[in-house]
Amino acid sequence: MAEPDTVIGVMDRTDRQLLTLLQQDATQSYVALGQAVGLSGGTVHERVRKLRERGVIRRTTVDVDPAAVGKAVAAFVLIEANAWMGDPPTARALAELPWVQEAHVVAGAASVLVKVRAGSPEELQAVLKRLYRIAGVTGTQTIVVLETFFERPVDTGE
Amino acid sequence: MAEPDTVIGVMDRTDRQLLTLLQQDATQSYVALGQAVGLSGGTVHERVRKLRERGVIRRTTVDVDPAAVGKAVAAFVLIEANAWMGDPPTARALAELPWVQEAHVVAGAASVLVKVRAGSPEELQAVLKRLYRIAGVTGTQTIVVLETFFERPVDTGE
DNA sequence: TCTGAAAGCAGAGACGT
DNA sequence: ACGTCTCTGCTTTCAGA
C-alpha cells in the first residue's frame, strides 16, 4: 500500500519532518534543518519553497502572547440562529470584530462557533452584545476559559 | 491617563505595529519592517529582540494547512467530569493525544474544552473513545466543524 | 532529486549620537 | 532610545552528478 498522499500534492516523511521542525522554530537555517533530516541546505530550501508554493505552508508568522497585547480573557461562543449562517456575509460580519479570532460553521444545536479574546469580562460582554446584532442570531452560549492547558501546531505525524 | 501597559513590560504603539506585521509575514527583513513603522532596521531588530526576550513573541512558526497533513476533520469536544480536571495530570493525558490541538479548562457545565483534528469521522470517533479513558471523564459533547470561516492571529490593536 | 560552491543580503551586535 | 557601521552567517541560485 502506497503512502497516503493529500489532494494538494506529494508529502513524504521528510516533508512532514520539515513541517514539524519549522512549526517548532521557523528561524532555523536551511543548513540546520538539513542536518536534522539528513539533507543538504540547498535541497531543504527547494523542498520548503515547494511546500509554500503548494499552500501546505500558508505563511510564516509569530506566536504572540495574548495577555501581552491586552487580550487575557478567552471564551468560546456558540451562536444559534434562525437562518443559515454558513454564507460569506456572516463570515464578513464576524471578521469585522477584531475580538473574534476563529469562526467555524458547525453541526449541532448551534450554527456557528467562535473563539473570542477580550481584555476583561466587561469587554467580553460588549462583544457578545455585538454578536447579537449580526443578522439571524437568536441566541448565544458562552463558555469562558479559566486556564489554557496548551495550544499547539497541527500534528504532522512526524 | 497613560497608555495601559501589560504585566510583561512596556508595549507602545510601534511594538504592536511590529507584532501585527510579523504575524502577517515573519519572513520580512528588519529594514522592511523599519520602513513600515518609520524606524531603522537596527532599531527594529533591537525591539523585536526584546519582544522575544519578554515572551511577548513566544516563537516564530509556520502555519500549516491541516488538510495537507491528513487532518481535514476538526471538532470541538466539551468534556464533562466527576472530578476536578484542572490539574497537570489531565493536561499531560490530553497532550499525549496528538489529535488534540488545544485544551482549555472552562467554566460551565463542561470541565474541559478541546479542539481536535482528525483525518476522518472514524478517526474522530477513535479519539473520543480515548478521551473517555482519561481519569474523571464522564461524558463528552462533540461539535463537528463543517466549514472554517477563518482562523487568524490575536488582534494587537494596531 | 540531490550536492556543493559562489554571490548577494540579512542578521546580530558594537558604537556614537 | 535611535541610527550607523561592520562582520558574520544565511539565503538563493546554479552547475554538475
Side-chain angles (χ1 to χ4, degrees):
Chain A
M1 191 167 91
E3 183 123 6
D5 290 341
T6 65
V7 190
I8 290 174
V10 185
M11 285 279 300
D12 64 8
R13 204 174 102 85
T14 304
D15 282 333
R16 287 196 296 272
Q17 284 179 323
L18 288 173
L19 289 175
T20 299
L21 291 166
L22 287 170
Q23 281 175 338
Q24 287 162 8
D25 179 10
T27 67
Q28 288 174 91
S29 73
Y30 291 124
V31 173
L33 291 168
Q35 284 167 350
V37 301
L39 287 174
S40 75
T43 302
V44 171
H45 179 260
E46 180 63 9
R47 277 179 177 261
V48 173
R49 193 193 64 72
K50 282 181 184 164
L51 287 170
R52 287 185 204 281
E53 194 183 63
R54 282 186 226 151
V56 175
I57 294 176
R58 289 164 165 166
R59 63 174 163 184
T60 302
T61 184
V62 291
D63 185 9
V64 172
D65 178 8
V69 291
K71 294 268 158 63
V73 178
F76 291 88
V77 182
L78 289 158
I79 302 176
E80 286 137 47
N82 60 9
W84 177 244
M85 292 196 77
D87 289 325
T90 306
R92 260 182 271 118
L94 291 169
E96 275 173 18
L97 304 177
W99 304 272
V100 178
Q101 204 189 343
E102 298 181 21
H104 311 267
V105 180
V106 296
S111 300
V112 173
L113 189 157
V114 299
K115 184 176 179 178
V116 171
R117 288 204 184 265
S120 63
E122 290 75 23
E123 199 178 311
L124 175 59
Q125 197 181 355
V127 176
L128 290 173
K129 200 172 165 184
R130 298 191 64 164
L131 287 176
Y132 272 98
R133 305 202 49 159
I134 294 173
V137 174
T138 56
T140 61
Q141 188 200 329
T142 305
I143 299 161
V144 177
V145 173
L146 303 174
E147 182 195 343
T148 292
F149 277 148
F150 58 83
E151 289 173 311
R152 61 186 180 189
V154 182
D155 177 60
T156 65
E158 301 292 337
Chain B
M1 191 167 94
E3 184 124 5
D5 291 342
T6 64
V7 191
I8 290 173
V10 185
M11 283 280 299
D12 65 7
R13 205 174 101 85
T14 304
D15 282 333
R16 286 196 296 272
Q17 284 180 322
L18 289 173
L19 289 176
T20 298
L21 290 166
L22 287 170
Q23 280 175 339
Q24 286 162 8
D25 179 10
T27 67
Q28 287 172 93
S29 74
Y30 291 126
V31 173
L33 290 168
Q35 284 167 349
V37 301
L39 287 173
S40 75
T43 302
V44 170
H45 182 260
E46 180 62 11
R47 276 180 178 261
V48 173
R49 192 193 63 75
K50 283 180 183 163
L51 288 170
R52 286 185 205 279
E53 193 183 65
R54 282 185 224 151
V56 175
I57 294 176
R58 288 163 165 165
R59 62 175 164 182
T60 303
T61 184
V62 291
D63 186 9
V64 172
D65 178 8
V69 292
K71 294 267 158 55
V73 178
F76 292 89
V77 182
L78 289 158
I79 301 176
E80 287 137 45
N82 60 10
W84 178 243
M85 292 197 76
D87 289 326
T90 306
R92 260 181 271 118
L94 291 168
E96 276 172 17
L97 304 177
W99 304 271
V100 178
Q101 204 187 344
E102 298 182 20
H104 310 268
V105 180
V106 295
S111 300
V112 173
L113 189 157
V114 298
K115 184 175 180 179
V116 171
R117 288 203 185 266
S120 64
E122 291 75 23
E123 199 178 311
L124 175 59
Q125 196 180 356
V127 175
L128 290 173
K129 200 171 163 185
R130 297 190 63 163
L131 287 175
Y132 272 99
R133 305 202 48 160
I134 294 173
V137 174
T138 57
T140 62
Q141 189 198 329
T142 304
I143 300 160
V144 177
V145 173
L146 301 174
E147 182 194 344
T148 292
F149 278 148
F150 58 83
E151 289 173 311
R152 60 187 181 190
V154 182
D155 177 61
T156 65
E158 300 292 338

